[in-house]
Amino acid sequence: MAERTPSPPMQRAARRHVLLATASCLLPLLLQLPPELGWGFGIAAVLVAAASWRRPLHAVFRILLGIGVLLAVVAVAPGIGRDTACALLAGMLALKPSETMTLRDGRSLVGFALFAPFATFLLDQGPLSLVLALAAVLLALLALQCLARDEAQVHEADGPRWWSGSTGVLRLLALGLPLALAAFWLFPRLPSPLWGLPERALAKPGLSDNMTPGGFLDLMNDDSPAARVQFLGAEPRPQDMYWRGPVLWEFDGRSWTQAHWLQPAPAAPMRPAGPGWDYQLDLEPTETRQMIVLDLPTAVPANAHVSIDFSTWSDVPLNNVSRWRMRSAPPAAAEPDLHPMLRDRALRLPRDFNPRTLALGRQWRREAGGDATGVADARIAERALAWITREFAYTLDVPLAGRNEVDDFLFDRKQGYCEHFSSAFVVLMRAAGVPARVVTGFAGGYRNPVGGYWLVLNSDAHAWAEIWLPRRGWVRVDPTAAVAPERVYDTLADRQPGRIGAFDGLVPMFNAGDWLRRGWNDFVLGFNAQRQQDLLKPFGLGKLQGQHLILLFALLAGLALAWMAWLIARGERERDPLLRAWHRLDAHYRRLGRGRAQHEPAQAWADRVAADQPRAGEHLGSLSRRFSDARYAASTEARERLLRDLDRHRP
Amino acid sequence: MREALRRRLQSWTRPRQPEPLPVLLRRNRIYVLPTATGLFFGLLLGTMGLGALNFNNNPALLLALLLAGAAQASLIAAHMQLSGVRLLAVSADPVAAGQDLRLKIALDTVDARVRRGLRVAAADAAVHATLDSHGTTVELLLPTQRRGWLALPRLELATVQPLGLARAWSYVWPNQSVLVYPAAEAQAPPLPAPAGGKGKPRPARAGDDVHHLRNYRAGDTPRSVAWKASARRDTLLVREYEQQLSGELVLDWQATHGLPHEQRIRRLARWVDDAEREGRRYGLLLPGQPAIAMGLGALQRHRCLRALALLPGETAHG
């Protein structure tokens, strides 16, 4: 094996380019990390780059820094997951410039740095990330170009300045674009992943499968979108917009949880009260299989199913933006016959918690009496609502829960938010012998006038109650709405997203921005195997098998490559058409072994040919003369005619 | 093993034999392959693309494809860097064997595109050039070993522009030879006696009338340098004496009788240089060749050294 020559050191300009490219690759990833890691690594990267500007950091120091990064990741985001892996990548990239000195180092740094935008997309697929990633790619290519110039000793003076350098890179991107797009739209997609996406170690905010009163607050301050809804046909009134998420059955005295064993059971029978709503739901990724649906679902796509408590589940985790076409309707009767086992579940309460509430419930039951038609049950619920309306207040400022949280809330504090209201209401109902359960999800929504669609934000998170009445089945009761309807049916101006305090000048910008984001979701993120098939429908290629798709892809990729090849061929084309024609003529003769030698004047060549082949030579002689005149003398010869004659002549 | 592989590869690549200049690099003789960086980059993109496809992560896929497209385009751009480059001519001033030959290579392009970072290499020597529509001349130092005609090696024109991901290269094999003069003997006896018998050569010494000053030439003695005048003009000047150093020399092959064949050639080469330095007219008598008439100056020197360089080797001569 030959001794490898050491790589030459980077010039200052190249080093600047490499560091800039690394920084721009790192930036989108840092924005997605927990803020303390993002800022920490960002600052560390700047310090390390500055400290190692002249000479690499000492090895011991580098090892210490590496250990520091490891510890920081473990401390802030413990566990093994996608986000921890990304944080580790970011940390290592932040330290890498400390030992990047030679051309080879520079190249490998740029290469590894390109993984950072890729990792970013595993965490977030928003347009901002893409714009930053595109800038990073551009800068990375510029850095590679700069390194290549260094290697070839193209010096700054005769090399182009950075902007003309970037036009070169942009040209390369433009050249590659047809191929990239053909591959993007047509490269066969996997209908299901070969291996799963590693989980995030840190939970993403979103509806969880349990509810502990006091726990929603994070979510209710989060103005990021949870879903976008486009109604096809009738739109529901704001007070009908209950987006049903997890249904919580089990109460342990503090927390409500789902009854997971109910999940596979098919949807309970339901009689709709009206024609219902047809809508398209774009769900933001939550990484769970839990979906939200409007009120009660009547039709869901094949890759989702409705379970017995009308909660809806996707067949695969919602890791990406997903689009669902669904129908919902308000119920006239939902599960009018309750199975005794479910009824038992819906009445169960832990024994040693909230004694005052249990006593009150029993007292109300005694006063209302028993009634098989459910009139007494309805009266108990009304009584509870009336009490809540009369004496309770809505606030987000709630002290930490004690042991008997429901007792505290109902008899002492008398203020709280949706989690407290729904939890207390359901406990009270169960105590009074009325089957009840908690439903969480979102309520309301914001209508974006720009796209004419509804936006459901995470801050719309809500919890309400359902009670079961004979013949009517499950009935939605929202005790929070009894106290603070504006908190629930909010399309009010003060909850308009994009508004800062009393200033709503930014709202149109928010509207347009969210509309763009929706287009982005639709156009790029939601593209999958199914949409790929749909894309080809207008061309009459509706039912395309895998191998046909591959053929089509190969065809288009071939065309894109041919276009590139044409560029190659054009690159060496003689510019002067007259010379081109002259060379063609020469080529004809060359095939007969009578080509013109490089040094031979046109006339001499013609004479030589004429000596062997008097007939052809005659024409050739005059053509050569005309050609020489046209090229070297001030000739009046019409170029067009000469061109034509040159092309016509055959030996 | 490596050498054999290399030869095999050479027999596949064009040109397969020396060719007349000028040579236009066209697509049928330009080769493009990814560099080590390019392979690394490809591996990177493959990993990204596979991951993106698996997770149906469209932005990541778009990113990977965009990079792949640019990399593919850079392959073509590397090709375009070379295509249309023309190697016009190759020339070299003869040097003595053992010295590096300064090979001048004239390049131009048939179109207006500027070619940056073009690497011209032969054997172990390499030089970088930037080429615009005016053309350029690069100089390559080729080591020489023995006198006589030196067939030019295959020249390699290569570039890794624009991104360093792909290397395009092409060979040009000029069917041209350059002359290598014999190396002059380092320790040689003084010049033989003049042919006309007009006494010993009189060394040129100071004290004679200075006729004029001329530029320094390699071989002038330090004592002949006019230091004051040189300092004034910022260039080395040498006094040229009016009187011609007397004595015409005939450098005769027979005068070196008794030495080995190559040694005789080297001695004569040395004498040519010495006579040239001392400004004495000289002629050369070589076996089997017409005598070279008396003369002095660069032309005479080249004529003589050329004759010496082209003398057949000992075995042929007997």
Side-chain angles (χ1 to χ4, degrees), chain B residues 189-205 244-249 274-275 278-281:
Chain B
L191 286 171
K198 287 180 188 166
K200 296 192 104 181
R202 199 158 53 102
R205 290 296 166 255
Q244 197 56 255
L245 287 170
S246 61
E248 295 194 332
L249 284 171
D274 285 351
E278 294 181 11
R280 296 169 63 173
R281 291 168 58 78

Side-chain angles (χ1 to χ4, degrees), chain A residues 206-247:
Chain A
L207 289 175
S208 73
D209 58 354
N210 63 65
M211 177 183 95
T212 307
F216 258 14
L217 271 181
D218 284 348
L219 204 54
M220 292 173 80
N221 288 324
D222 178 5
D223 257 343
S224 62
R228 293 180 182 80
V229 192
Q230 176 92 59
F231 286 100
L232 311 154
E235 293 195 356
R237 294 169 303 165
Q239 58 263 43
D240 292 329
M241 281 202 193
Y242 277 86
W243 304 98
R244 189 185 186 86
V247 179

Side-chain angles (χ1 to χ4, degrees), chain A residues 628-643:
Chain A
S628 307
D629 287 352
R631 262 185 78 73
Y632 304 109
S635 159
T636 52
E637 165 90 44
R639 278 171 68 92
E640 298 307 316
R641 212 173 60 218
L642 175 55
L643 266 175

